[in-house]
Amino acid sequence: MAGVAWELGVLQGIADKDRALAARLVSAGRVVGTSAGAAVAAQVTSGTPLEELYEAQLVDDGLDFVVEFDGPAMLAGWVAALEPSADGSPPDPLVIRRRIGAMALAAPTTDEATRLKEHEADLLSTEWPDTDLTIPAVDAESGELRVFRRDSGVRLLDAIAASCAVPGVWPPVTISDRRYVDGGIRSVANVDLAAGADHVLVVTPQRPGSPSAFGPSASEQVAALAPAKVLMIGADDASIEAFGINPLSPATRAPSAAAGRAVGRAQAAELAALFS
């Protein structure tokens, strides 16, 4: 909830300062969306005006609900996934993802069909856009990355639900004979999937420079995109406060959207200079 609202707020804040620049962003040659970003990417490439998407975050339509999950159990599962190998060395990222996937497969959550219906209600279009929309998810059993695009033969609904399937909170999503979980357990933004671009904007609802326990951080992946011109927009103190202790709560939507909008406005000039 908080991540979707904040990212849409950032884009709206950029539009406040430079409408043409914001339009250029949502019609970019490639849009990579991970976890909450998958939902945002699908919305902004649907053809729906950005202002309309933003305003929807400020309205309490009563359709959203507070997610109830076993926080201590989920945290314990994530901590266990990071335990050292038998020789005391840090576990390989692939091993970590497999452990998290196993936890997700065993966790008591809402049923998969119900979760898909919730995603479908939020989708503005069930068709893949003409834009190169790229949605990463992780195979819950193998830990391998799977990247979904228009030519993958997978429904947009399933791709988004898979990338948004937070382990321990939402059920893994079945696609063909495999089950998938949140693409964020491989990388918070999967910035490396933008390789080859001349200009890259990374929008991630975490503090800039935040480390990653599960693989390369966004900052590390940004460095690997050289010589591309890259700007990473992250969360400030006001944004972190808006996310609250439960970023899955509908109550976080409006404050997170407003905080993101302020961040977008503040970063618009630097982004315009980078993309000039």
Side-chain angles (χ1 to χ4, degrees):
M1 293 288 182
V4 169
W6 184 83
E7 291 177 16
L8 287 171
V10 169
L11 295 175
Q12 181 59 55
I14 294 169
D16 291 342
K17 294 293 187 178
D18 192 330
R19 186 175 297 272
L21 177 59
R24 182 180 173 187
L25 293 175
V26 300
S27 61
R30 175 173 297 172
V31 178
V32 180
T34 299
S35 197
V40 172
Q43 290 187 51
V44 301
T45 59
S46 69
T48 304
L50 184 56
E51 293 85 352
E52 185 176 324
L53 298 175
Y54 176 80
E55 290 297 329
Q57 302 303 308
L58 309 180
V59 178
D60 182 5
D61 54 16
L63 298 178
D64 297 319
F65 59 93
V66 177
V67 180
E68 295 184 3
F69 59 95
D70 189 339
M74 184 182 72
L75 180 60
W78 286 68
V79 170
L82 299 173
E83 290 182 355
S85 302
D87 62 0
S89 62
D92 181 271
L94 188 64
V95 171
I96 294 175
R97 296 198 292 270
R98 288 173 180 164
R99 291 173 176 174
I100 294 175
M103 181 267 288
L105 290 168
T109 65
T110 185
D111 65 277
E112 188 177 343
T114 298
R115 182 58 179 156
L116 283 173
K117 288 180 180 178
E118 293 167 357
H119 275 293
E120 188 170 23
D122 291 335
L123 270 182
L124 301 171
S125 172
T126 58
E127 301 297 324
W128 286 88
D130 292 334
T131 300
D132 180 6
L133 176 56
T134 299
I135 300 178
V138 170
D139 187 303
E141 293 185 6
S142 71
E144 296 285 352
L145 172 69
R146 174 76 186 275
V147 177
F148 299 108
R149 295 189 174 95
R150 184 174 56 242
D151 59 0
S152 298
V154 172
R155 295 190 305 170
L156 177 61
L157 170 63
D158 292 332
I160 293 172
S163 193
C164 291
V166 180
V169 178
W170 302 120
V173 173
T174 305
I175 298 176
S176 297
D177 61 345
R178 309 298 298 176
R179 301 193 73 191
Y180 295 90
V181 294
D182 197 316
I185 70 169
R186 186 257 183 180
S187 166
V188 68
N190 290 287
V191 177
D192 57 320
L193 297 182
D198 295 324
H199 299 80
V200 180
L201 169 64
V202 182
V203 180
T204 174
Q206 61 174 192
R207 295 185 189 278
S210 295
S212 171
F214 310 117
S217 68
S219 297
E220 290 170 331
Q221 290 187 328
V222 163
L225 292 181
K229 295 181 178 180
V230 185
L231 175 64
M232 184 164 67
I233 296 180
D236 59 3
D237 290 344
S239 300
I240 298 298
E241 182 177 355
F243 299 161
I245 60 173
N246 181 9
L248 302 179
S249 169
T252 65
R253 291 170 65 217
S256 296
R261 189 172 190 174
V263 170
R265 287 172 173 168
Q267 294 287 329
E270 183 176 355
L271 179 63
L274 181 78
F275 276 40
S276 62

